[in-house]
Amino acid sequence: LCPACRNAPRPFSAVAFHGAYQGLLRDMILAFKFGKHPEHAGVLRDLLAGAFLRAAPGTGRPAADREAPAVPDLLVPVPLHPSRLAWRGFNQSLELARLLSRRLLRPIDARALVRIRDTRPQSTLSGPERQENIRGAFRADPSRVSGRVALLADDVMTTGATVEAASRALREAGAVRGDVVV
């Protein structure tokens, strides 16, 4: 664990990711997310699924890291606020989780976690501002997550503020474990 995580443990157990959010990967994610290139969805879905399958034990490839993500009971996409969803027209995190859901034979539950507060776009804020902006923005439904292993799916993780807030809401609603895939 990094020193920051040792001092302030994160509310999720493990993270699986394809690569650094830079270069061509960043360009593809942004083009997909903002509707300029919806055809990138297939490649990005495959990268997300591959990242999880390489990292998680019991999915065909042994993990060398003891903090590998667990095979989930359900996949939970990071939700958009209804106003942002109406503006964008789709939830990129939900779209990216679809292939992994099929490969794992696990359901996506897009109602397990809701965004209860409209927040400023995280990309426009500094690290500390991101933490404050997203604090309390999510609520999870205990009837959907209690006693279950949830895999939170998002498009990117930079400071971790969004996945931390979402993971915290899942844990507070009784999820026994929460991992992240981006």
Side-chain angles (χ1 to χ4, degrees):
L1 295 175
C2 71
C5 292
R6 272 188 241 126
N7 291 335
R10 299 210 175 189
F12 48 82
S13 301
V15 177
F17 63 96
H18 172 75
Y21 182 57
Q22 60 190 22
L24 180 59
L25 180 60
R26 180 181 181 274
D27 294 345
M28 287 182 70
I29 290 169
L30 290 173
F32 167 66
K33 186 174 183 171
F34 295 107
K36 293 179 184 168
H37 289 283
E39 70 274 11
H40 291 339
V43 171
L44 294 172
R45 281 184 194 115
D46 195 53
L47 295 177
L48 182 121
F52 181 83
L53 294 172
R54 281 189 302 277
T59 56
R61 295 181 180 92
D65 183 339
R66 66 178 182 79
E67 292 298 325
V71 176
D73 295 313
L74 72 157
L75 281 76
V76 179
V78 170
L80 297 175
H81 187 270
S83 63
R84 180 104 23 103
L85 181 59
W87 174 78
R88 188 170 292 156
F90 70 104
N91 178 338
Q92 74 280 1
S93 299
L94 170 61
E95 295 306 317
L96 294 178
R98 291 187 189 282
L99 178 62
L100 182 56
S101 170
R102 286 194 305 269
R103 288 191 179 166
L104 293 176
L105 302 175
R106 298 296 195 271
I108 294 175
D109 190 340
R111 296 185 321 176
L113 184 68
V114 295
R115 192 177 292 239
I116 57 174
R117 201 165 47 75
D118 196 7
T119 57
R120 291 174 47 203
Q122 292 285 81
S123 61
T124 65
L125 305 171
S126 69
E129 289 173 325
R130 289 177 184 211
Q131 293 286 342
E132 184 57 36
N133 182 53
I134 205 77
R135 183 173 289 126
F138 300 104
R139 183 177 332 136
D141 182 343
S143 71
R144 295 175 174 278
V145 301
S146 184
R148 302 179 84 189
V149 175
L151 178 62
L152 186 68
D154 204 359
D155 54 352
V156 299
M157 180 176 157
T158 52
T159 65
T162 299
V163 295
E164 282 185 25
S167 294
R168 194 169 290 111
L170 290 169
R171 288 289 178 105
E172 288 170 359
V176 295
R177 180 179 169 118
D179 294 324
V180 175
V181 61
V182 293

